[in-house]
Amino acid sequence: MEVTPSSARILIIVPCFNEEGRVGHVIQDARRVLPSADVVAIDDASSDRTAAEAISAGATVVRHVCNLGAGTALETGCLYAVRNGYDIALHMDGDGQHLAEELPSLLTPLLAGEVDLVIGSRFQLRTGDDATPFIRRVGQRLFSFLLFLLSGKRCSDPTSGFRGFNRRVIRLFASGVLPYDYPDSDVILMSFMAGIRVIEVPVRMKERVGGKSMHSGIEPLYYGIKMFLSLLVVLLNFRVWRRWRRENCLTASGS
């Protein structure tokens, strides 16, 4: 059945881990901006009241019995979307850095059928007030260059977790191919190689307040090494993406 803007079933996926005091506001704002959408919070074995707060805010909660990482949380959300027949999924973090007011920017090109995957980029607005830490900016530029080198396609914000995608991408992300921890540049390269139509749209974001950040201590070093290796694994599995592309009747298109 053809999906139209009026008939599309939309799911907002909110992975969260120990986001008490933040996730409730995120869900309330998302429901206010897109009242016709459903919200599922993927609680990655939080030790605080994250799940209870998400339920009180109006979300369905799926809980992991142990901490499995951001990539697995996204995969769980996509499995939920597949099993419940959603047409479009919007992915936003539970820590408040992704603004609900920007959700329509992700949704509009998906409803128009123009693309399969939309990435919200904080760098396309160029407001001059970017507060992104220096190490993160360097990493973003490095992986943006690597993506262009490996795929010939540009992505200004390869670490953005603010994304929207259609049923084609939901099926791909639910098929067991996502990394368990950081689904960033490697997933974008995977999407390019699988023939997914990808665009970036400019969005505003806030810096994370509270909770654990991946940009402190030795985490940036681990992230960089892991992402290099993960990009290599994606490249070595080019036959998998070519077969998936062929089976899904895709053409070589993208941004």
Side-chain angles (χ1 to χ4, degrees), residues 10-55:
I10 302 166
L11 178 69
I12 302 173
I13 301 171
V14 184
C16 43
F17 174 65
N18 289 343
E19 299 293 357
E20 181 183 355
R22 293 175 289 273
V23 69
H25 298 294
V26 170
I27 293 168
Q28 288 170 356
D29 287 346
R31 296 183 68 218
R32 171 178 53 82
V33 173
L34 293 178
S36 63
D38 296 327
V39 182
V40 61
I42 311 301
D43 178 18
D44 198 21
S46 297
S47 58
D48 60 8
R49 296 187 68 259
T50 291
E53 187 173 304
I55 292 171

Side-chain angles (χ1 to χ4, degrees), residues 116-117 119 147 151 153 163 165 169 172-173 178 184-198 234 241 244-245 250-251 253-254:
D116 304 308
L117 171 62
I119 300 170
L147 278 174
S151 69
K153 302 178 187 296
R163 291 170 285 211
F165 32 90
V169 180
L172 175 63
F173 287 178
L178 291 179
D184 291 336
S185 301
D186 43 4
V187 173
I188 297 173
L189 179 60
M190 176 196 309
S191 299
F192 284 148
M193 296 180 70
I196 297 297
R197 301 172 298 168
V198 183
V234 172
W241 318 126
W244 193 93
R245 181 173 179 166
L250 301 180
T251 59
S253 57

Side-chain angles (χ1 to χ4, degrees), residues 40-81:
V40 61
I42 311 301
D43 178 18
D44 198 21
S46 297
S47 58
D48 60 8
R49 296 187 68 259
T50 291
E53 187 173 304
I55 292 171
S56 295
T60 298
V61 173
V62 177
R63 301 195 68 178
H64 289 164
V65 295
C66 59
N67 186 257
L68 298 174
T72 305
L74 174 56
E75 182 179 325
T76 298
C78 289
L79 285 167
Y80 180 90

Side-chain angles (χ1 to χ4, degrees), residues 119-207:
I119 300 170
S121 171
R122 75 205 85 184
F123 301 122
Q124 289 196 345
L125 288 176
R126 302 189 183 279
T127 59
D129 59 353
D130 177 33
T132 305
F134 174 75
I135 293 179
R136 185 168 185 174
R137 288 201 307 270
V138 171
Q140 286 163 337
R141 291 173 182 174
L142 173 61
F143 286 109
S144 179
F145 171 74
L146 284 175
L147 278 174
F148 178 72
L149 191 67
L150 297 173
S151 69
K153 302 178 187 296
R154 298 189 181 278
C155 181
S156 66
D157 199 350
T159 66
S160 173
F162 202 18
R163 291 170 285 211
F165 32 90
N166 63 13
R167 280 186 293 185
R168 182 175 291 158
V169 180
I170 291 171
R171 289 197 306 270
L172 175 63
F173 287 178
S175 64
V177 299
L178 291 179
Y180 76 91
D181 48 8
Y182 301 123
D184 291 336
S185 301
D186 43 4
V187 173
I188 297 173
L189 179 60
M190 176 196 309
S191 299
F192 284 148
M193 296 180 70
I196 297 297
R197 301 172 298 168
V198 183
I199 65 166
E200 285 186 291
V201 296
V203 297
R204 295 167 298 126
M205 294 189 197
K206 296 192 300 185
E207 279 302 302

